Amino acid sequence: MDVPLSWQLAKLAVSIGIVLGLSLVAERVSTRMAGLLSGYPLGTAIALFFIGLEISPGFAAESAVYSLAGFTATMALGGGYLICGRHDGLKGVLSGTAGGLVAWWLTSLVLTRFELDRLSGTLVTLAAIFVFTWLYRHVPEARTKARSGGSRWRPLLLRAGLATAIVFLVTGLAHVLPTSWAGMLAAFPISMYPLLVILHLTHGAAPAATVIKHYPAGLGALLCYALCVSLTYAALGLLWGTLAGFAVATLWLLGWMRLQAWYGTRRATGS
């Protein structure tokens, strides 16, 4: 079907806004917080919403089932990027991207061979979260320093353009792919990958590695979102299904952050 220009402009505006917002969080707050927020249902929400708008809510709901397992492929992308993108500058970005995409494609290829449902897809990603969190336990923390001046906006806008291109590619391919691959593409790190590129080019490989390290911890919100919309899109429609998904994801993220604060306080007091 022909996609109205207004829908295309909406995808453009939302995609750019998300990437710029995450980049400012990474620079002004911390890369750790940016990594957690990268797991919030931002890029996936955009992709699934516009897939439902352009094709059908039912197709988007079925795709979301495979997105549940697709977040494992996203973590594989982060692992491939971490291993291959150890150099600073453009060389590190290109090698990290190549390694990450190969890891994502191979993992997605394996996952789409199985008939997944909500339970199996969720369990696959939960297991992967524990595995990747354990593997990343020795990755050092690195903070970024805020850069002043208007020169920082040029790379941010360029990277935001990358996120927009990914959104258009994902939603466009969904028209010609089965729900399994549409779901895998919807789980692609639409917001995290441009953030990695921004941090890698402007601050080096270490801050990008910190985002990757904390990304699995934020995936609970994405799992909650994908699970919710897979159940509500067909029954409630795109608008109410999306709002319900964000509500569930926000509750999970708030609970997770409170749990982390409680654990940090216990460690600090030695109790």
Side-chain angles (χ1 to χ4, degrees), residues 139-247:
V139 175
E141 301 279 342
R143 296 182 63 87
T144 59
K145 295 181 180 179
R147 297 189 174 189
S148 60
S151 60
R152 73 177 183 181
W153 288 103
R154 185 174 298 173
L156 289 183
L157 291 174
L158 289 175
R159 303 294 80 78
L162 176 59
T164 304
I166 296 173
V167 169
F168 276 77
L169 179 63
V170 167
T171 54
L173 288 174
H175 287 266
V176 296
L177 292 174
T179 55
S180 57
W181 273 103
M184 291 293 162
L185 286 169
F188 190 89
I190 295 169
S191 58
M192 186 189 75
Y193 173 68
L195 173 63
L196 290 179
V197 172
I198 294 168
L199 290 174
H200 205 149
L201 287 176
T202 58
H203 298 286
T210 303
V211 170
I212 293 172
K213 175 181 180 178
H214 292 286
Y215 180 73
L219 274 175
L222 263 171
L223 280 172
C224 290
Y225 182 88
L227 184 60
C228 184
V229 299
S230 74
L231 293 167
T232 59
Y233 264 2
L236 302 180
L238 293 177
L239 177 59
W240 289 108
T242 297
L243 292 176
F246 274 117

Side-chain angles (χ1 to χ4, degrees), residues 44-45 48-49 56-69 71 116-122 179 183 222-238 240-246 248:
T44 298
L48 288 175
F49 180 86
S56 75
F59 185 92
E62 293 179 24
S63 299
V65 173
Y66 278 87
S67 293
L68 290 167
F71 300 131
L116 297 171
D117 56 21
R118 294 180 181 89
L119 178 60
S120 59
T122 300
T179 55
L222 263 171
L223 280 172
C224 290
Y225 182 88
L227 184 60
C228 184
V229 299
S230 74
L231 293 167
T232 59
Y233 264 2
L236 302 180
L238 293 177
W240 289 108
T242 297
L243 292 176
F246 274 117
V248 171

Side-chain angles (χ1 to χ4, degrees), residues 21-40 42 141-144 192 195 199 207 210-215 217-218 253-254 256-258 260-261:
L22 278 176
S23 301
L24 291 176
V25 168
E27 289 198 352
R28 297 190 178 275
V29 182
S30 71
T31 49
R32 178 179 179 277
M33 181 59 68
L36 288 173
L37 290 179
S38 293
Y40 196 72
L42 300 172
E141 301 279 342
R143 296 182 63 87
T144 59
M192 186 189 75
L195 173 63
L199 290 174
T210 303
V211 170
I212 293 172
K213 175 181 180 178
H214 292 286
Y215 180 73
L253 188 59
L254 290 174
W256 175 255
M257 294 177 70
R258 175 163 292 190
Q260 284 193 314

